[in-house]
């Protein structure tokens, strides 16, 4: 080998090492960009799912009151219309979701059909159907929450897994609050003593709401935390708690001083406050994702520029 070739080989070794390092850097940056793109789409589906859950929870509660004799079917139809609107939006968003295991998507294919069958069944005002109605709506909501958990368990970056865990805690709290709304409001409409099962159920639901909202694993952005703190100190949250406690006190005689709507208003505002906390947290995540995406793109451009400069030097 000539001296010239030896010099060329010696010069190429560090260049090759640099090329390998640059290639690994590009691969890493492209990986981050790909994950961010996936998370952006998944968060949009998560929000649409959250909106659908909220409307199904309202429809479940109002249908329970209707079956208990506390409202009319026309009133329930208004809630069903809102659910249908959010269902349509959810169906439009769903195809973009990207999961490790898409098995849950198969389970969700029949959600619209199941909902239609349920509405037909519970169009007849019959108190004996109330427990079954609440259970069936809860199963449907459970499937949607299963999708949310699948999104939370999908690949994330930059600590977003912990943020999604916080959102799941909020969603579980909201669902328990929604179930408390359905159960207590229908009990108020019945004006009857509570069974031991009904008494135990509403205590467990209320405790579950408090446990999730006070969980040490709950890490929220400042605006979301402020909303939750303000909600907890609000008149609506306090009124909902007072009526709930009143039902417990009069559980043995059923002599309630409140109507179903007296509870539905404040407890619905509590559920909505939790839902808004979810939305604010997801919005904060989107802002952070956009910032990380911009940084990753900038670093990628710098890396590609470095490669072009290196190649130019070699060619010269």
């Amino acid at each position: 080998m000539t001296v010239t070739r030896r010099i060329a080989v010696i010069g190429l070794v560090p260049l090759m090492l640099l090329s390998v390092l640059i290639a690994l850097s590009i691969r890493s940056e492209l990986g981050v960009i790909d994950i961010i793109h996936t998370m952006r789409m998944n968060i949009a589906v998560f929000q649409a799912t959250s909106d659908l859950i909220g409307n199904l929870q309202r429809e479940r509660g109002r249908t329970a009151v209707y079956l208990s004799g506390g409202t009319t079917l026309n009133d329930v139809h208004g809630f069903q219309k809102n659910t249908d609107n959010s269902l349509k939006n959810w169906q439009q968003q769903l195809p973009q979701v990207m999961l490790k295991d898409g098995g849950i998507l198969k389970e969700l294919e029949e959600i619209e059909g199941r909902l239609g069958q349920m509405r037909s069944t519970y169009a007849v005002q019959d108190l004996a159907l109330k427990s079954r109605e609440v259970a069936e709506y809860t199963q449907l909501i459970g499937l949607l929450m299963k999708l949310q958990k699948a999104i939370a368990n999908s690949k994330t970056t930059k600590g977003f897994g912990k943020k999604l865990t916080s959102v799941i805690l909020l969603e579980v709290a909201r669902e328990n609050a929604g179930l408390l709304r359905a159960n207590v409001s229908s009990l108020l409409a019945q004006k009857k003593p509570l069974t031991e099962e009904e008494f135990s159920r509403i205590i467990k639901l209320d405790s579950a709401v408090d446990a999730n909202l006070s969980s040490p694993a709950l890490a929220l952005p400042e605006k979301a935390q402020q909303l939750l703190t303000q909600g907890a100190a609000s008149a609506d949250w306090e009124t909902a708690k007072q009526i709930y406690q009143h039902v417990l006190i009069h559980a043995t005689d059923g002599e309630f001083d409140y109507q179903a709507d007296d509870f539905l208003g404040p407890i619905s505002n509590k559920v909505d406050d939790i839902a808004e906390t979810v939305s604010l947290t997801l919005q904060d995540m989107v802002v952070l994702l956009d910032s990380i995406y911009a940084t990753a793109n900038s670093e990628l451009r710098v890396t590609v520029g470095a490669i072009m400069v290196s190649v130019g030097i070699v060619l010269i």
Side-chain angles (χ1 to χ4, degrees):
M1 181 181 293
T2 64
V3 174
T4 303
R5 286 186 178 180
R6 287 179 181 177
I7 293 173
V9 169
I10 293 171
L12 283 173
V13 170
L15 182 60
M16 290 173 65
L17 290 174
L18 177 62
S19 298
V20 170
L21 291 174
I22 290 174
L24 290 174
S25 177
I26 290 176
R27 182 180 178 183
S28 175
E29 288 157 10
L30 287 174
V32 170
I33 290 172
D34 184 59
I35 291 173
I36 292 172
H37 176 67
T38 298
M39 289 179 63
R40 198 73 162 72
M41 294 191 296
N42 282 354
I43 287 175
V45 176
F46 196 108
Q47 181 63 71
T49 305
S50 184
D51 293 341
L52 177 55
I53 287 172
N55 280 302
L56 280 170
Q57 289 169 336
R58 295 182 190 97
E59 182 177 329
R60 173 183 60 193
R62 208 59 179 175
T63 303
V65 172
Y66 163 69
L67 293 173
S68 302
T71 191
T72 65
L73 187 58
N74 281 337
D75 179 38
V76 175
H77 286 161
F79 287 82
Q80 292 175 348
K81 184 177 179 180
N82 291 335
T83 300
D84 290 340
N85 290 335
S86 59
L87 176 61
K88 183 178 179 180
N89 178 57
W90 175 77
Q91 289 171 327
Q92 291 172 344
Q93 296 284 347
L94 188 60
Q96 68 180 326
V97 74
M98 298 182 69
L99 306 173
K100 291 179 181 178
D101 180 6
I104 180 61
L105 299 179
K106 188 69 176 176
E107 296 181 63
L108 291 167
E109 287 179 358
E110 299 178 358
I111 189 169
E112 187 172 8
R114 285 180 60 182
L115 182 58
Q117 292 173 1
M118 288 159 53
R119 287 172 173 175
S120 178
T121 299
Y122 304 119
V124 179
Q125 195 171 56
D126 183 354
L127 178 59
L129 294 174
K130 190 198 76 172
S131 294
R132 177 181 162 192
E133 177 267 333
V134 172
E136 288 197 9
Y137 271 90
T138 301
Q139 288 174 0
L140 212 57
I141 291 168
L143 281 177
L144 292 167
M145 293 182 70
K146 187 176 178 181
L147 171 62
Q148 289 182 318
K149 289 176 183 176
I151 290 174
N153 290 330
S154 61
K155 197 169 185 179
T156 60
T157 186
K158 308 291 184 181
F160 279 85
K162 185 177 181 180
K163 296 178 187 295
L164 283 170
T165 297
S166 293
V167 177
I168 293 296
L169 286 171
L170 290 172
E171 288 286 17
V172 173
R174 180 171 68 144
E175 170 60 357
N176 282 298
L179 282 168
L180 187 67
R181 172 175 56 192
N183 281 271
V184 172
S185 58
S186 60
L187 290 170
L188 288 169
Q190 292 172 218
K191 296 290 185 182
K192 291 166 52 180
L194 276 64
T195 65
E196 184 176 337
E197 181 182 356
E198 289 169 336
F199 185 82
S200 298
R201 183 186 301 124
I202 62 174
I203 289 177
K204 288 179 181 178
L205 290 171
D206 183 67
S207 297
V209 175
D210 292 341
N212 281 280
L213 293 182
S214 61
S215 171
L218 196 62
L220 302 175
E222 185 178 355
K223 286 185 179 180
Q225 185 60 61
Q226 286 178 351
L227 176 62
L228 203 59
T229 302
Q230 290 169 2
S234 69
D236 281 326
W237 285 44
E238 181 59 29
T239 299
K241 177 67 76 173
Q242 288 176 356
I243 296 175
Y244 156 75
Q245 291 173 341
H246 176 83
V247 171
L248 294 181
I249 292 171
H250 292 276
T252 57
D253 56 44
E255 296 179 0
F256 307 127
D257 296 334
Y258 299 95
Q259 303 297 320
D261 282 343
D262 294 331
F263 183 70
L264 279 170
I267 191 65
S268 292
N269 286 335
K270 179 174 183 176
V271 173
D272 290 344
D273 284 343
I274 299 173
E276 182 62 20
T277 304
V278 170
S279 294
L280 286 174
T281 304
L282 293 175
Q283 289 169 20
D284 182 76
M285 289 176 66
V286 169
V287 171
L288 288 174
L289 282 172
D290 288 345
S291 176
I292 295 170
Y293 183 82
T295 300
N297 262 326
S298 177
E299 290 176 351
L300 183 60
R301 287 194 295 269
V302 170
T303 302
V304 171
I307 292 175
M308 295 178 67
V309 170
S310 299
V311 171
I313 292 174
V314 172
L315 291 177
I316 291 171

